[in-house]
Amino acid sequence: MSTHLTTVAGVAVDTRHFIGGERVASTETFTDVSPIDGSVLAEISRGTAMEAAAAVAAAKAAFPAWAATPRAERARLLHAIADGVERRLEELALVETTDNGALLRSHRRGVMPRVAHNFRFFADWLLELDHEDFTTRGHTNHVTWDPAGPCVLITPWNAPLMLATWKVAPALAAGDTVVLKPAEWSPLTASLLADIATEAGLPAGVLNVVQGYGSEVGDPLTAHPDVRRISFTGSVPTARHIAASAAANLTPLSLELGGKSPLLVFADADLDLAADLAVEQYDNAGQVCLAATRILVEAPVAEEFTRRFTEKAAALRQGDPREEATDIGPTIHPRQLEKINGFVRRALEAGARAVIGGHRGAGQYYAPTLLTDVRQDSEIVQEEVFGPVLTLQTFDDEDEAVRLANDTRFGLAATVATGDADRAARVTARLVAGTVWVNCFFVRDLKAPFGGSRHSGVGREGGTWSFDFYCDVKNTVTAPKGFKDHG
């Protein structure tokens, strides 16, 4: 077997970059470790400015032909990639669970099917993308979405392949070429995606994958003058760095960043439903940007809500994510585990009380935690923990509920539990958030706009909003006369 291949969960994965249709090795590597048991999975090619430049050059060279490819052919190739994902769904699920520690059952049933759906949805949306012509003083206005050029897509570790293809699929559908830079803590399924795209017939250079650290390969990618779009999902500090890097070239950005989302539970809510929604926030060990980590409960029902919540949380099973019965897996990396533990430790020292959890488990596991007796201006309420840690506060009326909900620098999502439709309408209208769920959570349609407000992001993607970002939207105005008759 090649020294550049590693076997993960019985699946061969190439550890090199994928540039211009070829596998390219770096002289240096970085170590990829499984969060499940700390075992070394692979030594991954560690990209530098040289690989970044080569990948952008490959994307630039491939762009004219790909941009000129008819919509129907681009859509066909995206469907062929989706077919390849479905054929290898079990392999992708096994590799990603081993690499990032998320539940295997979730990867099999939800995440990897969504990966395929990302490609199918944007392939189909491309074929329907249209704007009705309109007239201005007899002149015809015709709107088109023109491919923009090479895109750099930088993706996170908490749902590696799903969030990568949420960007890759619309960019390719739009006629752009792509340089994908996956997170260094979970790079393996991005490499498999390159194989699948090649097998589907995607032309060389249209999709490139470069691995490595942000400071070494990410910076030269985002600062490259030939890059026409940058899409990033991750932390606010990294987004600031990317935005500063892109500013020199005025490269348009789409940023989906952190969250500190609220779950508002009113006294008229179905408390069992509300408790279920709250427990659901422990999904993926709390490593979900959309998670409603701030539970806000109307005071008269706070005690009863807490009782039901703790009963339901006690039934959760934490353990090996490859086992069907497991509900919560490990934290992605020792650094992330230490970050989570630091947040909770400081909160407890400041007077917070742990209703459940509040401590580390064995290995890279952190116990599901609910903290109460927290101040609104405290670190644990204001800053994103990105782990299985929730806080609980009470409110007396709608105004206070909305004030507390909006009182952070974030605005990614919010969830409202209430039995009163009029109240739901009043409250949701006042919440600062890119997505609001009422009596439900994580219902996502790819037609819907997705993004955050305030420090939770810049821009929206999804449906036509994705094409608005990945394309140069052009309006052509034609006079009613002036053409010569060639008949």
Side-chain angles (χ1 to χ4, degrees), residues 203-228:
V206 174
L207 172 64
N208 307 273
V209 179
V210 178
Q211 303 151 152
Y213 297 112
S215 60
E216 296 175 352
V217 72
D219 286 355
L221 284 173
T222 57
H224 201 293
D226 290 334
V227 171
R228 294 292 177 257

Side-chain angles (χ1 to χ4, degrees), residues 231-283:
S231 182
F232 168 72
T233 298
S235 71
V236 172
T238 303
R240 287 197 182 102
H241 184 77
I242 290 172
S245 180
N249 301 310
L250 295 179
T251 308
L253 294 163
S254 178
L255 304 174
E256 194 267 279
L257 309 177
K260 195 68 180 176
S261 302
L263 165 56
L264 286 69
V265 179
F266 288 93
D268 57 18
D270 178 332
L271 292 186
D272 271 332
L273 170 62
D276 284 337
L277 293 174
V279 170
E280 194 174 348
Q281 308 312 310
Y282 292 132
D283 182 50

Side-chain angles (χ1 to χ4, degrees), residues 16-58:
R16 295 171 291 180
H17 312 288
F18 185 74
I19 299 174
E22 302 289 337
R23 289 291 178 175
V24 176
S26 295
T27 56
E28 300 291 331
T29 63
F30 64 93
T31 304
D32 184 31
V33 176
S34 175
I36 300 173
D37 55 13
S39 61
V40 173
L41 299 177
E43 294 295 326
I44 307 292
S45 280
R46 181 171 168 175
T48 66
M50 182 173 68
E51 288 85 4
V56 173

Side-chain angles (χ1 to χ4, degrees), residues 130-475:
D130 192 24
H131 191 293
E132 185 176 347
D133 289 353
F134 56 98
T135 59
T136 304
R137 298 190 299 277
H139 296 64
T140 300
N141 294 263
H142 180 64
V143 177
T144 55
W145 286 263
D146 295 352
C151 300
V152 166
L153 311 179
I154 302 176
T155 54
W157 45 258
N158 58 321
L161 191 58
M162 190 271 283
L163 291 177
T165 57
W166 158 247
K167 301 175 187 297
V168 170
L172 296 182
D176 295 341
T177 51
V178 165
V179 179
L180 171 64
K181 193 282 198 198
E184 59 269 22
W185 286 352
S186 55
L188 298 181
T189 48
S191 181
L192 293 176
L193 177 64
D195 294 337
I196 291 169
T198 300
E199 292 164 4
L202 194 70
V206 174
L207 172 64
N208 307 273
V209 179
V210 178
Q211 303 151 152
Y213 297 112
S215 60
E216 296 175 352
V217 72
D219 286 355
L221 284 173
T222 57
H224 201 293
D226 290 334
V227 171
R228 294 292 177 257
R229 295 291 187 274
I230 299 170
S231 182
F232 168 72
T233 298
S235 71
V236 172
T238 303
R240 287 197 182 102
H241 184 77
I242 290 172
S245 180
N249 301 310
L250 295 179
T251 308
L253 294 163
S254 178
L255 304 174
E256 194 267 279
L257 309 177
K260 195 68 180 176
S261 302
L263 165 56
L264 286 69
V265 179
F266 288 93
D268 57 18
D270 178 332
L271 292 186
D272 271 332
L273 170 62
D276 284 337
L277 293 174
V279 170
E280 194 174 348
Q281 308 312 310
Y282 292 132
D283 182 50
N284 201 22
Q287 299 168 135
V288 178
C289 58
L290 292 162
T293 56
R294 295 184 296 131
I295 314 299
L296 307 175
V297 186
E298 196 164 0
V301 297
E303 184 176 346
E304 178 61 18
F305 169 84
T306 303
R307 184 187 67 79
R308 299 189 192 198
F309 170 87
T310 54
E311 287 181 357
K312 294 175 184 291
L316 295 174
R317 177 176 173 179
Q318 188 168 32
D320 191 322
R322 295 166 295 193
E323 296 180 3
E324 182 72 15
T326 298
D327 299 302
I328 302 177
T331 301
I332 180 75
H333 192 276
R335 290 211 323 250
Q336 184 65 19
L337 180 64
E338 187 54 42
K339 176 185 172 185
I340 296 165
N341 191 53
F343 269 112
V344 175
R345 186 183 67 251
R346 291 189 296 273
L348 294 173
E349 291 171 352
R353 180 173 63 89
V355 178
I356 61 171
H359 56 83
R360 302 168 63 148
Q364 283 179 214
Y365 293 81
Y366 199 88
T369 296
L370 176 67
L371 301 178
T372 189
D373 299 337
V374 293
R375 299 192 321 272
Q376 179 62 22
D377 63 353
S378 64
E379 178 192 54
I380 197 68
V381 170
Q382 293 293 325
E383 299 298 327
E384 184 178 45
V385 177
F386 221 63
V389 179
L390 312 179
T391 61
L392 188 147
Q393 300 165 269
T394 61
F395 62 84
D396 292 325
D397 54 34
E398 279 185 25
D399 286 342
E400 186 180 18
V402 172
R403 178 180 64 78
L404 293 173
N406 288 339
D407 187 22
T408 73
R409 63 193 173 106
F410 298 103
L412 186 57
T415 303
V416 178
T418 178
D420 185 333
D422 292 336
R423 168 174 279 150
R426 289 193 305 270
V427 170
T428 57
R430 299 171 63 190
L431 293 174
V432 179
T435 300
V436 181
W437 288 286
V438 179
N439 294 329
C440 61
F441 177 68
F442 219 62
V443 179
R444 288 273 289 113
D445 193 309
L446 293 184
K447 296 191 293 291
F450 182 76
S453 303
R454 296 176 176 167
H455 284 198
S456 286
V458 175
R460 296 291 183 270
E461 296 186 39
T464 300
W465 289 275
S466 286
F467 288 95
D468 289 345
F469 172 69
Y470 288 108
C471 292
D472 290 324
V473 183
K474 180 168 66 185
N475 184 41

